[in-house]
Amino acid sequence: MAKTTGPPQSVVKDIPTLGVEEEFLLCDPVTKQPRFRNTEVAAAGRDLGVDLQLELTRCQVETATTVGHHVRDLRDQLWELRVAAADAAARAGCQLLAVGTPFYDPPPHETTHTSRYQRMAGEFGALTAGVMCGCHVHVGVEGRKQAVRIINHLRPWLPTLLSLTANSPISAGVDTGYASWRYIQYGRWPSCGPPPYFESLNHYDTAIETMLEAGVILDPHMVYWDVRVSDHLPTVEIRISDVPATVGETITYATLVHALVVTVMREIAAGCPAPIIDQEVLRAACWRAARDGVAGRALDMDPVRLVPTRQLVRRLLDYVTPMLAEFGELERVTASLETVFDEGNGAMVQRRTLTRSGITDVIDECARRTAGGCDRQTDTALSSS
């Protein structure tokens, strides 16, 4: 994330900071195959005054907001970054897509030409050929000890966050059977998945030291847990989400995460213990979320049973309602979630379009939804209502 330019004028007192990173796929606008031109797209971005960061594979770029104290501080940025990234991609002969995975698998050996990424390719082989685009939300913390406590409290909510944002059902031109194929693919990395329950900050650090010793990671930045303590920022980083299909969905997701983390912080301050969820139960719940997304069923972990995913989404909304009301965002988020229930999220729209008119139309629809359309008007109307 970039450095903050100063606190906004309208903030809720003592609310921690917020920042959002989004990863995007580059594809050929004609063949629809992944296009390996991220350095050219980044150069075009610099000409437009936007900093597009390179990712592991050459068909990806990433945007990052500045630091805000409220989602209102980031809303316009998120729109502008997507529009600028799409413009930069077009100038470099690419189409920008907000999708969790490519529609066609890229060939191997297309790792971005940086020393760190090349070293990763040497150490982890074919794992680095996978292309996965996520959305990472950073929330400011007072220290690493607090961040680890927050992670423990967030663990039960991770599957619900994934269900909401699932946006990668198609691979090799066909439906994979998973709403988030990205999450399934990402799970091949040995440092991915839901984090364990940590007894202390020392427990967290020992786990990372063990991974370093085993060669599971090359550096702390390769800790790819669904939520982690940032290794370079004073934040807790929630990483479980696919990149949402529309910026309106990203705004809603970031708002929910911000409200969730602040709610958890207040519970910690009040002395409330984190629920201890069995790791295998949590992994099963995350798998189910990746499989069904928001359209199917989810694993309720207390008691362990399958329920409609919408039931757990509504439980999350109820849990953070007081904080959303304090933010002044309750009406907007509630309306946005109802729209997702009625019209579908990224995975659902992709599947409908694939059934109706085929893969080429899926990709063109994803490109349209990535950088604009009616969603901005809808979000603006909701935010001003």
Side-chain angles (χ1 to χ4, degrees), residues 167-241:
N167 185 32
S168 50
I170 298 170
S171 180
V174 299
D175 194 324
T176 63
Y178 289 85
S180 176
W181 186 237
R182 165 194 160 272
Y183 191 80
I184 300 301
Q185 293 288 88
Y186 212 22
R188 297 179 303 171
W189 285 88
S191 59
C192 282
Y197 182 96
F198 296 108
E199 300 292 340
S200 63
L201 175 58
N202 182 65
H203 183 192
Y204 183 94
D205 287 339
T206 298
I208 294 177
E209 289 169 5
T210 299
M211 288 192 287
L212 283 166
E213 178 65 25
V216 168
I217 58 176
L218 301 180
D219 54 50
H221 199 60
M222 282 189 67
V223 175
Y224 294 146
W225 285 323
D226 298 334
V227 55
R228 69 181 183 185
V229 183
S230 173
D231 69 309
H232 65 291
L233 295 168
T235 65
V236 61
E237 181 183 2
I238 296 84
R239 302 172 47 85
I240 195 168
S241 169

Side-chain angles (χ1 to χ4, degrees), residues 246-286:
T246 68
V247 72
E249 290 174 67
T250 296
I251 291 166
T252 296
Y253 174 69
T255 308
L256 276 171
V257 169
H258 198 203
L260 177 59
V261 172
V262 178
T263 300
V264 161
M265 286 178 171
R266 295 187 177 181
E267 287 197 344
I268 292 171
C272 299
I276 301 177
I277 305 296
D278 181 85
Q279 183 72 357
E280 293 309 308
V281 172
L282 181 55
R283 287 177 61 86
C286 288

Side-chain angles (χ1 to χ4, degrees), residues 3-9 11 66-69 73:
K3 293 182 180 179
T4 180
T5 57
Q9 296 300 310
V11 299
T66 59
V67 179
H69 289 261
D73 305 326

Side-chain angles (χ1 to χ4, degrees), residues 26 34 48 58 68 84 93 122 128 138-139 239 262 302 312 314 367 377:
L26 302 172
L48 293 169
R58 294 176 56 228
T128 57
H138 289 259
V139 181
R239 302 172 47 85
V262 178
D302 187 22
L312 297 189
R314 296 188 190 282
Q377 298 170 5

Side-chain angles (χ1 to χ4, degrees), residues 299-311:
L299 188 66
D300 190 346
M301 292 176 279
D302 187 22
V304 176
R305 56 181 179 150
L306 283 174
V307 299
T309 302
R310 296 184 184 193
Q311 181 175 319

Side-chain angles (χ1 to χ4, degrees), residues 17 26 81 114 116 125 136 140 142 170 174 177 188 213 225 241 248 272 303 313 323 359-361 364 381-382:
T17 57
L26 302 172
L81 285 168
T114 67
R116 181 172 181 272
H136 307 154
E142 296 176 357
I170 298 170
V174 299
R188 297 179 303 171
E213 178 65 25
W225 285 323
S241 169
C272 299
V313 173
M323 188 53 56
I359 188 64
T360 298
D361 283 351
D364 287 340
L382 289 171

